[in-house]
Amino acid sequence: MKKYFVMVGSFIARAWRFVLSLFETHQHLHVTHTKYNSEGEVVDVLIKSWEVRKFYKKGPKHMYFKTMDYMTETMLKSEI
């Protein structure tokens, strides 16, 4: 019985998000991070993309925004 309520609740949540998405304007946010070697040549380019529902704050170094689906990723300190 509990499994049934979880499935119904999940369906209602997905349906509600779909209805909300019809009335919102979404924007795409692309963030790039370029790594250089000691000679100044490009070694690696890391690109992350999100579909943003709403920007709360846009600054030169920080952005706060809300997405429909959340993505988390653990990065090593050497990758930053």
Side-chain angles (χ1 to χ4, degrees):
M1 192 69 158
K2 182 179 178 184
K3 190 176 190 180
Y4 173 75
F5 287 124
V6 170
M7 288 175 36
V8 170
S10 175
F11 173 75
I12 291 172
R14 284 194 321 254
W16 180 249
R17 278 187 268 160
F18 174 74
V19 170
L20 285 179
S21 70
L22 295 175
F23 299 102
E24 294 178 339
T25 57
H26 294 202
Q27 298 175 350
H28 294 279
L29 173 65
H30 303 282
V31 178
T32 60
H33 177 72
T34 308
K35 291 185 181 181
Y36 298 96
N37 63 6
S38 60
E39 298 168 356
E41 299 172 348
V42 175
V43 176
D44 189 23
V45 177
L46 178 67
I47 300 173
K48 301 254 181 182
S49 299
W50 292 274
E51 186 174 342
V52 178
R53 283 177 58 187
K54 181 178 180 181
F55 280 100
Y56 293 118
K57 180 181 177 185
K58 293 180 192 176
K61 293 190 177 187
H62 299 283
M63 283 189 221
Y64 296 105
F65 55 90
K66 185 175 188 177
T67 62
M68 286 293 266
D69 298 315
Y70 296 94
M71 178 185 75
T72 59
E73 180 178 334
T74 304
M75 297 181 69
L76 301 174
K77 191 170 185 177
S78 62
E79 294 178 353
I80 297 176

